[in-house]
Amino acid sequence: MLLKLWQALISGLSVGSIYALIAQGYYITYITTGALNFGQGEFLMIGALFGLTCYVVLGLPYALAILGAVLVTGLMGIVLERIAIRPVMRHALSLSWVLSTVAVSIILKNAAVDLWGPEQIKFPSPFGEGVVQIGPAGIFPQELFIIAVALGTVFAIQIFLRRSLLGKALMAVAFNRNAAAVMGINVPRMVVLAFVLSSALAGLGGILIAPITFAWAYMGTVPGIKAFAAAIFGGLENPIGILIGGLIIGVLEQLFGIINSNLKEGITFLFILLALAIRPTGLMGRQEIVKV
Amino acid sequence: MLSVQGLRVAYGHAEALRGVDLEAKGGEITAIIGSNGAGKTSALMAISGLVPVTAGEIRLEGRSILGMKPYEIAQLGIAHVLEGRQLFADQTVEDNLLLGAYTRLPHDRARVAEIMEREMNRFPILQRRRHQFAGNLSGGEQQMLAIARGLMSDPKLILMDEPSMGLAPLVVQEIARILRGLRQEGSTIILVEQMASVALQLADRVYVFENGRIKLSGTGIQLASDPEVKRAYLGG
């Protein structure tokens, strides 16, 4: 039993850090535009399948395949912003982005079926099929690699946003668009940057997770929803909350999986619903305080 | 420096400006006074490109800036200290100042460091609060930061919207002193001010707005003795 718990914890942290990575993408576009890309899961899928093509078909090293997946999904972020966000964000309260990003996700799924077929494809792990002993359990090295890269990336993004001039400018746009504009910051370009970062994070998540799941056209839907749950659960405007939310959801579903693997999704979402009923702004969401 | 002709701005069917002409000369303080909703803020926002202009012309040093994006206008050297400070509350005082110099970064770091020292000397409180979040400053300190942030780009023209808003009289005096100092340094300022007494005292030239039009204009001294201005805006 202890062995199972230990294994569930490591697997949960690795899946959870993928959720955290995707959810960080939701966070970046939400704070800058108030919109989310509901196709994040499909960007993850493209990252995985394009990575697979680079790694297996073209025989490139895994590191280059990661770079390729990140670049391609990042570029797709530019297109996404241009066709699905900018045209529908004319009004501040517009919610049309919900439909337009879902539409993009459907297009991507169908395109992926055309390009890569509908089957689940094995993504060979770059670290081999063996396991490493950590404590009592055998862990796939890929799982540890995922945790390290995903969490490292989440922290790197935060350092970029808080320390670099470009990141500060992006945060300024997020906080107050007009004030940022009169500073000479090109606001529309910062919005594009937000979608590029967000999409690239999902793409990175895809190529990281593919070796422990499978790569296929429909792989993105569930992680996209879970990452959304993590973002809401953690508090959409709080990057640390989102990180913790992602990890908690990852670990919880693996723990529930020990009890009954058919019920793990259901129980996980039930738990999130209960948590939100108690704290509607999320785990670490800002409680709105009105100053008079 | 800046000339505005026949400026019209509308929000949907509501016209905020109905044909305004004004001129801001280099090295002077040009003040716009008037009651709430007279169109003062709209005039500044039209100049900095934040609201679309429906008709008219805006020229900076003879060159039309109409239809330019706000960031392009900022790059030409127009700084806008927005109404209600509009600081980046979740960033530090120093980062707010850095963002004020965004048009000079990253290529002109040495100059920006110099300007930052200059502004820290002008507003010593900012030096002490340098690493605090802008949102944690008092109202007066926030206004100082907003002005300093506007000055960080070394602008040709500063648009200043209601710097006295919500501040204690002593702080208002401090701000007036700073504006006077800026004028002595040769800065060109367009000042929108609800407190007409402050504006008339500081300004070389004053425009009185009413319902989106210019009702009166003249030098500060002329208008301060105008009976209508006295009655309507100076409470006497």
Side-chain angles (χ1 to χ4, degrees):
Chain A
M1 188 60 196
L2 198 67
L3 179 75
K4 277 188 171 172
L5 281 177
W6 179 245
Q7 222 143 18
L9 182 71
I10 302 283
S11 299
L13 285 176
S14 94
V15 181
S17 58
I18 297 286
Y19 299 155
L21 201 59
I22 306 169
Q24 210 69 204
Y26 287 132
Y27 157 80
I28 291 173
T29 63
Y30 181 76
I31 59 167
T32 42
T33 64
L36 308 172
N37 171 17
F38 279 119
Q40 279 286 78
E42 278 59 48
F43 281 71
L44 169 137
M45 171 271 289
I46 295 288
L49 285 170
F50 184 80
L52 181 86
T53 301
C54 291
Y55 185 54
V56 177
V57 181
L58 302 178
L60 296 173
Y62 189 56
L64 276 185
I66 291 179
L67 193 67
V70 167
L71 283 178
V72 161
T73 47
L75 289 174
M76 284 168 55
I78 299 176
V79 179
L80 173 81
E81 195 275 337
R82 202 74 196 87
I83 65 168
I85 302 293
R86 199 179 297 189
V88 302
M89 292 296 272
R90 299 270 148 81
H91 310 286
L93 295 175
S94 165
L95 284 174
S96 314
W97 51 265
V98 176
L99 288 180
S100 61
T101 59
V102 168
V104 167
S105 79
I106 295 170
I107 294 169
L108 287 177
K109 246 182 270 188
N110 288 320
V113 171
D114 262 5
L115 283 168
W116 287 283
E119 302 85 18
Q120 299 194 339
I121 310 166
K122 175 104 188 79
F123 194 119
S125 173
F127 301 100
E129 302 302 318
V131 292
V132 288
Q133 277 313 121
I134 294 192
I139 306 290
F140 288 119
Q142 181 73 19
E143 290 183 314
L144 299 175
F145 181 70
I146 289 173
I147 296 172
V149 174
L151 297 189
T153 305
V154 167
F155 284 114
I157 290 279
Q158 283 308 313
I159 288 168
F160 163 74
L161 290 177
R162 293 284 159 193
R163 296 265 176 266
S164 74
L165 181 67
L166 198 60
K168 287 170 186 172
L170 190 68
M171 293 306 281
V173 170
F175 195 83
N176 186 328
R177 248 176 209 238
N178 272 0
V182 299
M183 300 293 111
I185 296 169
N186 186 340
V187 173
R189 194 173 291 173
M190 289 296 158
V191 170
V192 173
L193 175 65
F195 277 92
V196 167
L197 285 174
S198 161
S199 306
L201 285 173
L204 174 64
I207 189 165
L208 286 177
I209 203 170
I212 57 167
T213 56
F214 284 98
W216 60 308
Y218 299 101
M219 71 183 285
T221 312
V222 170
I225 295 171
K226 294 235 183 86
F228 179 63
I232 300 290
F233 178 59
L236 249 181
E237 292 182 42
N238 186 319
I240 306 297
I242 286 176
L243 172 63
I244 296 171
L247 295 178
I248 289 180
I249 289 176
V251 170
L252 275 182
E253 70 173 34
Q254 295 297 321
L255 290 178
F256 292 140
I258 298 177
I259 306 162
N260 184 332
S261 62
N262 291 323
L263 286 179
K264 75 172 187 187
E265 315 279 6
I267 296 175
T268 309
F269 283 116
L270 188 67
F271 174 84
I272 293 163
L273 282 178
L274 285 176
L276 284 180
I278 297 162
R279 275 187 72 88
T281 53
L283 198 61
M284 292 173 76
R286 212 180 335 177
Q287 307 284 331
E288 291 295 327
I289 299 166
V290 181
K291 259 193 204 171
V292 183
Chain B
M1 173 72 69
L2 186 94
S3 78
V4 170
Q5 280 132 24
L7 185 67
R8 286 175 176 271
V9 169
Y11 304 103
H13 290 296
E15 256 198 311
L17 290 178
R18 310 154 189 255
V20 161
D21 298 314
L22 63 85
E23 180 92 33
K25 291 205 174 72
E28 290 193 354
I29 296 182
T30 306
I32 302 176
I33 61 173
S35 54
N36 260 334
K40 308 182 301 279
T41 294
S42 294
L44 294 194
M45 291 178 86
I47 296 169
S48 61
L50 289 175
V51 295
V53 168
T54 42
E57 181 58 274
I58 305 172
R59 287 177 190 281
L60 176 71
E61 296 175 320
R63 184 180 158 204
S64 176
I65 59 168
L66 216 60
M68 285 187 177
K69 302 267 177 282
Y71 74 92
E72 293 168 326
I73 293 172
Q75 282 164 0
L76 292 178
I78 297 184
H80 191 161
V81 180
L82 294 161
E83 182 182 9
R85 353 250 197 253
Q86 316 274 350
L87 297 170
F88 305 119
D90 62 345
Q91 301 198 46
T92 63
V93 167
E94 187 177 67
D95 285 347
N96 270 271
L97 292 175
L98 269 183
L99 288 165
Y102 191 78
T103 53
R104 291 184 171 273
L105 290 169
H107 49 278
D108 216 358
R109 273 186 197 283
R111 178 77 189 117
V112 170
E114 272 172 40
I115 301 174
M116 188 167 313
E117 284 319 301
R118 184 188 75 193
E119 296 312 321
M120 295 269 185
N121 286 329
R122 194 195 310 274
F123 303 97
I125 189 71
L126 298 183
Q127 177 72 49
R128 268 170 277 151
R129 301 263 188 270
R130 194 168 189 146
H131 300 293
Q132 292 185 21
F133 288 112
N136 294 342
L137 304 186
S138 73
E141 290 164 357
Q142 290 196 2
Q143 188 61 56
M144 310 267 175
L145 176 55
I147 296 173
R149 186 179 65 174
L151 296 170
M152 281 300 295
S153 59
D154 241 349
K156 284 180 192 151
L157 170 67
I158 308 154
L159 312 176
M160 220 176 270
D161 200 346
E162 302 264 10
S164 73
M165 196 167 77
L167 298 181
L170 222 57
V171 186
V172 175
Q173 276 178 33
E174 171 69 9
I175 303 240
R177 190 183 63 77
I178 282 159
L179 292 186
R180 219 170 276 129
L182 284 172
R183 190 191 176 286
Q184 265 162 25
E185 289 172 24
S187 297
T188 309
I189 301 171
I190 301 182
L191 170 70
V192 158
E193 193 42 81
Q194 190 101 265
M195 281 197 183
S197 57
V198 176
L200 291 173
Q201 205 188 94
L202 285 171
D204 298 281
R205 191 161 187 85
V206 181
Y207 292 87
V208 181
F209 275 36
E210 198 177 275
N211 288 325
R213 289 197 180 86
I214 289 172
K215 195 186 173 204
L216 280 170
S217 67
T219 65
I221 298 155
Q222 275 169 359
L223 289 193
S225 56
D226 184 286
E228 206 176 338
V229 171
K230 268 189 177 168
R231 186 184 49 76
Y233 302 105
L234 297 175

